Amino acid sequence: MLVWSRSGRRLAWFLAALLFAVIYGLPIAMIALASISGQWNGVLPSHLTLMHFANSVQGESGDQLRVSIMTGAIASAVALVSGTCAALALRRIAGAPKRLLDAIFFIPSAVPSVSVGLGLLVAFSQPPVLLNGTTLIVVIAHFVLISAFTYGSVSAGLGRLAPDYEQVAESLGARAFYRLRRVTLPLVAPYLIAAFSLSFAFSMGELGATVMVYPPGWVTLPVGIFSLSDRGAIFDAAALTIILAVTTLIVLIGLSRVSTKAAVR
Amino acid sequence: MKVPTLPSAANHHPALPGNPPPCPSSQAGEGSGGRRGRVWEGDAGGLRRGKAAASDPAGASSGIAFEDVTVAYGALVVLDSLSLVVKPGEIVALIGPSGSGKTTALRAVAGFVRPTRGRILIGERDVTNVPPHDRNIGMVVQNYALFPHMRAEENVAFGLRARRAPDAVLRERVPECLRMVGMAAYAKRYPRELSGGQQQRVAIARALAIRPQVLLLDEPLSALDAQIRRSMLEELARLHRDLPSLTVLYVTHDQTEALTLANHIGIMRDGKLVAFGSAQSLYRHPPNRFAAEFLGRANLLPVKALVSDVGGLTHVRFGDAPLLARNHHGLPAGSECLLCIRPHDLRIHAGDPATAPLRGTVRAVQWQGEMHSIALEVGGHPLRLTCAPLKAPPEPGEMLALHFDPEDATLVPEDGDG
Ligand SMILES: Nc1ncnc2c1ncn2[C@@H]1O[C@H](COP(=O)(O)OP(=O)(O)O)[C@@H](O)[C@H]1O
Ligand SMILES: [Mg+2]
């Protein structure tokens, strides 16, 4: 603690709490309130109702939630595998080549997601590779956007792994694949889980690229929210937002539980 | 590579209750069978005990040979033409200051450092180009590197599982190795639930479980506190008495560890082996200044060798003072050299100071519990003397007369310290 006096510390806490409440708390509280309001004309809404939640469960929103979860899970899983493979393959490279490859990997996250979507659309709208209007192109868009997370997270984990573990394993007779399976991957497991969590959360909220490429049969929840609010159904959109946030949160909490377990061992 | 299924599982008679762990019976010689298979078969690692050792065919345990091994990173030569032989069943300690290339030498044997020149042999086999997982060595690193996600017993079993040893071997070998290092009661613990010393024991058990041909230890005690270090040192000595045919290469910067454990000691400096010999002879007759100072912090006085005399003693002149010393290295008369005398071999001269061979000014007196350490200046050269605690220690500035038994003083060449 940098602030020593008791009153000073209290003031610091108060200011921090206030800032936190305004920046994070207020928007969320507004959305939460909106999701249960029947009417909102004054400072606070009136005619509180759960109707919007009922709407969302009954309507196409249930499908959209499923689509979002599936897209997120598949894209994150593929990104995890490929990002891990890339990180493992490139870990022995150092210096300028390493920095160049890192830069290439991080390009997609530096480009606006709308542009990534547009790029995919242009690239795959003509033979020989025609993916336009398929489910696959949505997953690919998400994968392109999140693969940098996994690569970055896993290479950070591998970078912090002392070489001793793998060398001792090798001296004990473990060949490359056995070593990877029994030593390397378990030791970087927290990083793998963090990578997956981050990509999943990102994918669940992704709109920019998705909106460019999604086919009619594969509407993700953020796209649904976007079109609802576009149509002026703000309260329904708010209810969906809450559902999206809670679902993502549940998955993240579950994953972080697993991660703590992996780290503690 | 397929591990041959073998009759050798039958070699492993289960331990009789109350008996020491079974002696791995000897089996066909070096050439037979796949190397990987052999590892858990029998005595490939040469971990034979007691009487069994006598009945084993000669050469069953393997030594290590460095032949002109050079390791360089770019232009930086970190190991310079190292030639060194560790005989089967021997403990050789490599000592030297930090950065002298000890770890590099050890890792070259393990296969994690590629020599730019030269060969490394384990037993009869040239392993220079053999990948680490095929070398059949046990390695213990400074920070133990126990796998944190595995219990102690799983750590010990790791090497056997990696080699697909049958369950029967695992069930027998894992408890045996844990028992050998006194960790049987901790089999179910995770590494984080063990103290440093206990982790070290598990790391040693893990290395021994595969019955390695050679055991490589890199500063295994340096992360432990002084008291545990001492008891671990005794443990290691006991372990080698139990496994007399285990060949050990032991890297340390601590001379006590080297002198306590090793049959032979190699002293490294700037990537070169500057001295090698049996622990005793290296201590008694260091071949150069560096060896004398590094091993046992000897006092060195510049002298001029005169004639060799009766009984192997040589007359030398230190300034104007005539002294006597052994000339173990056969330095020629007239050469400039160093007289090496250990601090505890210097005595305070009780009689007439005029008859003392050396006189010096006391510079500092330290009481260290079990001994007094006195720093002196003799003819402009620093000298250290240790002795049993004195009732009336000298005061700084006092003149002190000294003598020593010429048998305890040895002449060391001035140059040639690599
Ligand atoms: N991978 C490496 N690249 C470059 N230099 C290295 C490498 N490993 C070790 N060195 C250098 O080699 C020298 C010897 O190191 P090391 O064998 O670890 O010494 P010691 O174990 O005796 O302290 C040191 O100067 C160290 O900086
Ligand atoms: Mg070292």
Side-chain angles (χ1 to χ4, degrees):
Chain A
M1 260 294 165
L2 290 173
V3 186
W4 282 102
S5 78
R6 179 174 285 192
S7 56
R9 211 178 303 169
R10 274 196 192 145
L11 187 69
W13 271 113
F14 175 74
L15 286 177
L18 190 70
L19 263 177
F20 187 83
V22 170
I23 294 176
Y24 290 100
L26 211 54
I28 293 174
M30 285 302 133
I31 292 169
L33 264 181
S35 70
I36 52 168
S37 54
Q39 225 176 355
W40 197 334
N41 299 324
V43 177
L44 285 176
S46 52
H47 304 97
L48 296 188
T49 171
L50 288 176
M51 183 187 69
H52 309 302
F53 284 97
N55 285 352
S56 59
V57 174
Q58 289 158 9
E60 56 199 2
S61 323
D63 284 342
Q64 292 171 3
L65 183 62
R66 192 176 49 81
V67 164
S68 271
I69 291 176
M70 279 177 64
T71 309
I74 294 170
S76 304
V78 176
L80 184 64
V81 172
S82 63
T84 305
C85 290
L88 284 169
L90 301 183
R91 70 192 288 212
R92 305 273 171 244
I93 300 175
K98 165 86 172 162
R99 282 196 294 277
L100 182 74
L101 284 164
D102 278 356
I104 290 174
F105 261 96
F106 285 108
I107 283 175
S109 41
V111 174
S113 53
V114 180
S115 316
V116 170
L118 188 65
L120 286 172
L121 206 58
V122 173
F124 296 132
S125 62
Q126 271 167 16
V129 191
L130 216 165
L131 294 176
N132 217 342
T134 63
T135 307
L136 190 58
I137 197 168
V138 180
V139 177
I140 289 176
H142 284 219
F143 168 78
V144 167
L145 288 168
I146 63 188
S147 53
F149 290 149
T150 13
Y151 170 74
S153 172
V154 178
S155 20
L158 288 172
R160 294 172 132 235
L161 187 62
D164 287 343
Y165 295 108
E166 287 160 292
Q167 293 189 347
V168 166
E170 185 166 11
S171 78
L172 288 169
R175 277 141 190 277
F177 185 66
Y178 190 84
R179 218 155 57 224
L180 184 69
R181 194 164 58 81
R182 294 291 312 277
V183 178
T184 314
L185 290 182
L187 288 181
V188 296
Y191 291 88
L192 301 181
I193 295 166
F196 186 87
S197 308
L198 206 61
S199 354
F200 183 78
F202 183 92
S203 174
M204 286 293 277
E206 212 297 316
L207 177 65
T210 318
V211 99
M212 300 296 290
V213 296
Y214 79 96
W218 198 255
V219 182
T220 64
L221 202 51
V223 174
I225 293 169
F226 180 69
S227 53
L228 275 179
S229 54
D230 213 28
R231 273 187 265 140
I234 299 291
F235 298 153
D236 284 339
L240 280 192
T241 306
I242 293 293
I243 288 173
L244 179 66
V246 168
T247 311
T248 309
L249 215 57
I250 288 171
V251 173
L252 291 189
I253 289 171
L255 285 173
S256 89
R257 281 256 172 98
V258 179
S259 172
T260 352
K261 239 186 189 168
V264 165
R265 278 184 323 171
Chain B
M1 200 197 284
K2 275 276 163 278
V3 176
T5 39
L6 8 89
S8 76
N11 275 350
H12 279 271
H13 21 75
L16 301 171
N19 274 9
C23 311
S25 49
S26 64
Q27 41 113 126
E30 284 283 297
S32 75
R35 298 239 164 220
R36 267 160 60 75
R38 265 192 16 217
V39 167
W40 34 266
E41 263 174 45
D43 70 347
L47 305 197
R48 287 161 287 130
R49 291 152 179 280
K51 277 176 268 163
S55 62
D56 269 1
S61 92
S62 340
I64 307 168
F66 292 84
E67 289 180 0
D68 191 30
V69 174
T70 297
V71 174
Y73 295 103
L76 179 69
V77 177
V78 295
L79 207 58
D80 195 355
S81 304
L82 176 66
S83 292
L84 175 74
V85 173
V86 185
K87 296 205 196 80
E90 204 179 45
I91 301 184
V92 166
L94 275 185
I95 68 173
S98 180
S100 55
K102 310 180 295 288
T103 298
T104 305
L106 188 107
R107 288 160 51 83
V109 179
F112 298 111
V113 168
R114 259 275 163 96
T116 34
R117 205 180 66 215
R119 299 200 307 161
I120 293 171
L121 288 93
I122 297 178
E124 299 291 300
R125 182 184 183 210
D126 181 350
V127 296
T128 317
N129 295 309
V130 174
H133 59 75
D134 261 354
R135 292 197 182 194
N136 195 25
I137 43 153
M139 184 168 83
V140 177
V141 295
Q142 199 169 345
N143 60 358
Y144 326 134
L146 289 181
F147 306 126
H149 55 296
M150 298 180 196
R151 297 174 192 278
E153 58 181 6
E154 292 159 354
N155 265 283
V156 175
F158 184 90
L160 294 171
R161 285 195 204 282
R163 290 151 191 256
R164 304 197 204 146
D167 275 353
V169 173
L170 258 101
R171 271 197 301 277
E172 178 200 320
R173 190 83 62 81
V174 172
E176 175 194 329
C177 288
L178 280 170
R179 213 178 317 127
M180 212 147 55
V181 296
M183 288 297 291
Y186 300 86
K188 300 284 180 212
R189 298 254 188 119
Y190 282 104
R192 70 192 139 85
E193 298 166 337
L194 299 172
S195 73
Q198 292 170 334
Q199 291 187 35
Q200 182 63 279
R201 288 158 194 261
V202 175
I204 291 171
R206 176 175 65 178
L208 291 178
I210 58 167
R211 299 260 154 95
Q213 283 175 287
V214 300
L215 182 63
L216 307 177
L217 300 167
D218 190 358
E219 311 219 1
L221 307 184
S222 63
L224 303 175
D225 59 56
Q227 210 158 16
I228 298 175
R229 196 180 312 168
R230 216 165 303 138
S231 73
M232 272 304 288
L233 200 56
E234 282 160 23
E235 289 274 313
L236 284 174
R238 181 190 56 75
L239 198 69
H240 195 252
R241 281 198 299 277
D242 287 351
L243 306 170
S245 60
L246 181 64
T247 308
V248 180
L249 184 61
Y250 189 102
V251 161
T252 178
H253 61 256
D254 184 299
Q255 49 147 333
T256 319
E257 290 172 24
L259 290 170
T260 309
L261 283 177
N263 308 98
H264 284 92
I265 295 177
I267 302 180
M268 305 273 303
R269 183 195 191 181
D270 298 334
K272 293 193 187 69
L273 186 71
V274 295
F276 184 80
S278 78
Q280 289 263 353
S281 80
L282 214 53
Y283 189 80
R284 283 176 57 80
H285 318 291
N288 51 47
R289 172 191 277 272
F290 187 76
E293 284 178 339
F294 196 83
L295 197 67
R297 294 186 37 197
N299 293 305
L300 294 170
L301 296 174
V303 296
K304 196 177 171 77
L306 302 175
V307 281
S308 277
D309 210 340
V310 277
L313 294 179
T314 295
H315 284 287
V316 298
R317 187 166 283 284
F318 168 61
D320 290 335
L323 299 172
L324 266 177
R326 292 163 56 93
N327 189 358
H328 181 83
H329 301 295
L331 303 177
S335 59
E336 305 280 342
C337 56
L338 299 164
L339 183 135
C340 164
I341 174 90
R342 300 285 167 185
H344 59 263
D345 289 330
L346 273 177
R347 308 257 147 69
I348 297 174
H349 191 69
D352 178 8
T355 65
L358 287 172
R359 268 179 306 280
T361 316
V362 176
R363 287 291 171 229
V365 179
Q366 271 184 340
W367 177 67
Q368 296 174 346
E370 79 268 39
M371 63 176 192
H372 259 107
S373 170
I374 302 171
L376 298 131
E377 197 181 298
V378 178
H381 294 275
L383 210 60
R384 206 166 62 90
L385 173 154
T386 56
C387 57
L390 299 165
K391 283 215 177 65
E395 293 292 323
E398 219 173 283
M399 282 297 277
L400 210 57
L402 308 169
H403 71 110
F404 57 87
D405 182 349
E407 287 290 335
D408 294 330
T410 191
L411 295 181
V412 173
E414 169 62 281
D415 50 355
D417 59 338

